[in-house]
């Protein structure tokens, strides 16, 4: 089987609900995705053979959100701030260790 194009593929939920129900966009998920992408570029870990950061529509877990899912492994995380994103980047995306305290 050929090697995966990306070592990790990360999806940030960007869902925005107009009816007032909880959604990931209420937690600034767009800027957090942009921050993760920029940070990985700064660290030299973004692109083919490395990590790809993508936005996603509703991942159907907004009640637990904001949410991000990392493939392979289908590891789901929530986060509060950039420090949480930095921890996911450093531990999971660079060092392949799941961040249990942020896992959902």
């Amino acid at each position: 089987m050929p090697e995966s194009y990306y070592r990790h593929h990360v999806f940030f939920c960007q869902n925005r609900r107009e009816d007032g129900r909880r959604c990931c966009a209420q937690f600034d998920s767009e800027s957090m995705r942009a921050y993760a992408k920029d940070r990985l570029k700064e660290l030299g870990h973004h692109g083919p053979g490395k990590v790809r950061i993508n936005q996603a529509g509703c991942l159907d877990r907004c009640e637990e959100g904001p949410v991000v899912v990392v493939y392979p492994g289908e590891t789901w995380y929530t986060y509060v701030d950039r420090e949480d994103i930095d921890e996911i980047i450093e531990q999971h995306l660079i060092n392949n260790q799941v961040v249990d305290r942020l896992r959902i």
Side-chain angles (χ1 to χ4, degrees):
M1 180 184 302
E3 189 173 318
S4 178
Y5 192 70
Y6 297 110
R7 187 168 34 86
H8 293 292
H9 206 153
V10 183
F11 294 89
F12 278 75
C13 181
Q14 309 282 273
N15 188 41
R16 180 175 307 280
R17 292 182 174 155
E18 302 301 330
D19 62 6
R21 290 183 298 147
R22 186 175 178 154
C23 64
C24 292
Q26 293 170 335
F27 298 94
D28 203 20
S29 60
E30 293 175 20
S31 71
M32 295 301 268
R33 181 198 60 82
Y35 171 76
K37 187 174 184 176
D38 291 344
R39 185 72 182 122
L40 282 161
K41 285 179 179 179
E42 288 173 10
L43 296 169
H45 287 278
H46 187 267
K50 299 174 184 174
V51 180
R52 172 73 182 185
I53 301 292
N54 276 97
Q55 64 183 5
C58 186
L59 294 173
D60 205 24
R61 294 188 81 170
C62 286
E63 295 301 321
E64 300 171 85
V67 296
V68 60
V69 61
V70 178
Y71 293 97
E74 299 179 35
T75 306
W76 291 82
Y77 292 112
T78 189
Y79 55 87
V80 174
D81 51 28
R82 287 182 173 194
E83 287 77 20
D84 289 345
I85 298 299
D86 287 336
E87 190 172 351
I88 292 168
I89 289 170
E90 179 68 29
Q91 290 201 15
H92 191 141
L93 303 180
I94 295 175
N95 293 309
N96 293 312
Q97 297 175 0
V98 172
V99 182
D100 286 326
R101 76 173 192 88
L102 299 173
R103 195 171 184 187
I104 54 173

